Amino acid sequence: SQKIEQNSEALNIQEGKTATLTCNYTNYSPAYLQWYRQDPGRGPVFLLLIRENEKEKRKERLKVTFDTTLKQSLFHITASQPADSATYLCALDIGGGTYKYIFGTGTRLKVLA
Amino acid sequence: DAGVIQSPRHEVTEMGQEVTLRCKPISGHDYLFWYRQTMMRGLELLIYFNNNVPIDDSGMPEDRFSAKMPNASFSTLKIQPSEPRDSAVYFCASTRGLDTGELFFGEGSRLTVL
């Protein structure tokens, strides 16, 4: 069956540390994988996209890796801040580039001051 | 741009009533998506459109749900009759087909069916 799993429903880390979130999937060969941030009561907001032929993508304090052999993406936030506290969702294009994006259940990150 | 606009933001209705949720995508975006979010099931894709034509409605739960996109700037998601298990936050999102599919989400419509 179609499945996207994100590690631990909730993750607490200390301010200044690196947060690492995991997205694992089965039965797909996605052309693109995206990461979104969602704050309570708001819609998800796009953060990063990585293509199937890319290993790593960076944007400021964010880094995403994509291992199509392991069927896994890692999302890192370096020098984490309390303002980074939110739910983070990964999304896969399962339509071969047709924008049919399905989402993981998300990881709720809390950065402690 | 004002972003994706959804209405109503909150809707409370009784079981059996018809519910209509509305969405205005970002101008120039040719893909429009309807998602539903619950604690139990997360964010589920219900249906999406390209150039006002439904591309994939395999996520629509059952015949009680229907979606239309009469023009490039407006879409509706209708539930008739509504049931308590339809209670969720419904999100609309849009994107431009020339790009890599970054989805722009609205703020959602929170539906409560009593």
Side-chain angles (χ1 to χ4, degrees), chain B residues 26-37:
Chain B
I26 293 173
S27 177
H29 283 191
D30 52 354
Y31 283 82
L32 183 139
F33 305 77
W34 283 100
Y35 286 87
R36 175 173 71 174
Q37 188 172 41

Side-chain angles (χ1 to χ4, degrees), chain A residues 42-44 103, chain B residues 3-8 21-26 29 31-37 43-49 67-69 72-77 89-95 103-110:
Chain A
R42 309 296 299 274
F103 283 77
Chain B
V4 175
I5 300 173
Q6 292 186 245
S7 65
L21 307 178
R22 298 173 177 79
C23 176
K24 176 179 168 56
I26 293 173
H29 283 191
Y31 283 82
L32 183 139
F33 305 77
W34 283 100
Y35 286 87
R36 175 173 71 174
Q37 188 172 41
L43 198 59
E44 302 174 278
L45 176 62
L46 300 177
I47 185 170
Y48 73 107
F49 296 82
K68 293 182 179 179
M69 192 164 185
S73 59
F74 184 65
S75 177
T76 59
L77 178 67
V89 181
Y90 291 81
F91 286 103
C92 177
S94 68
T95 193
L103 300 181
F104 293 81
F105 282 82
E107 297 288 35
S109 293
R110 180 176 293 278

Side-chain angles (χ1 to χ4, degrees), chain A residues 34 36 38 42 99-101, chain B residues 35 56 97 99 101 103 107:
Chain A
Q34 300 180 348
Y36 288 78
Q38 186 175 24
R42 309 296 299 274
Y99 307 135
K100 184 175 181 179
Y101 276 99
Chain B
Y35 286 87
D56 190 324
D99 296 334
L103 300 181
E107 297 288 35

